[in-house]
Amino acid sequence: MRTAEQEAVLRSVRKQIDFWQIQAEELAGIPEPVATVAPVRTTPVHRYRHPITSETWDGEGGQPAWLREALTREGYTVEELRLRDGETSGA
């Protein structure tokens, strides 16, 4: 037994099929939708670290306040804060 909502959807689908003159055999070759898999979130790779506070930033999104502060008021350069290849984000 179908619900009223299911009946309404079926009526709508039937109207669309009639309007577009779709034949049943045309529907046979339509592949099933493929479920997309959500990307696996990995631990962010930190690209910048403050040498004193050890605060980190992965370079994604807006620049954090600590980085702006380090560059503008504390006199650090981007190169001084950037982690090098193979360097870990741990202190």
Side-chain angles (χ1 to χ4, degrees), residues 5-91:
E5 185 178 20
Q6 289 172 320
E7 290 293 336
V9 169
L10 283 172
R11 276 194 305 278
S12 175
V13 169
R14 287 183 183 118
K15 284 181 183 179
Q16 291 292 319
I17 288 172
D18 289 343
F19 176 81
W20 293 104
Q21 299 176 357
I22 297 171
Q23 302 300 314
E25 53 273 359
E26 292 178 277
L27 298 175
I30 297 175
E32 290 291 321
V34 177
T36 57
V37 177
V40 176
R41 300 273 306 169
T42 59
T43 305
V45 175
H46 296 125
R47 294 194 175 105
Y48 303 91
R49 181 180 64 221
H50 193 286
I52 297 172
T53 65
S54 295
E55 292 175 282
T56 59
W57 182 46
D58 63 2
E60 298 287 326
Q63 195 180 64
W66 72 262
L67 183 59
R68 281 193 304 276
E69 185 89 7
L71 295 171
T72 59
R73 293 193 178 167
E74 297 173 16
Y76 288 100
T77 65
V78 172
E79 286 305 313
E80 290 173 316
L81 300 173
R82 182 176 289 136
L83 292 170
R84 290 167 193 46
D85 288 339
E87 192 174 357
T88 63
S89 59

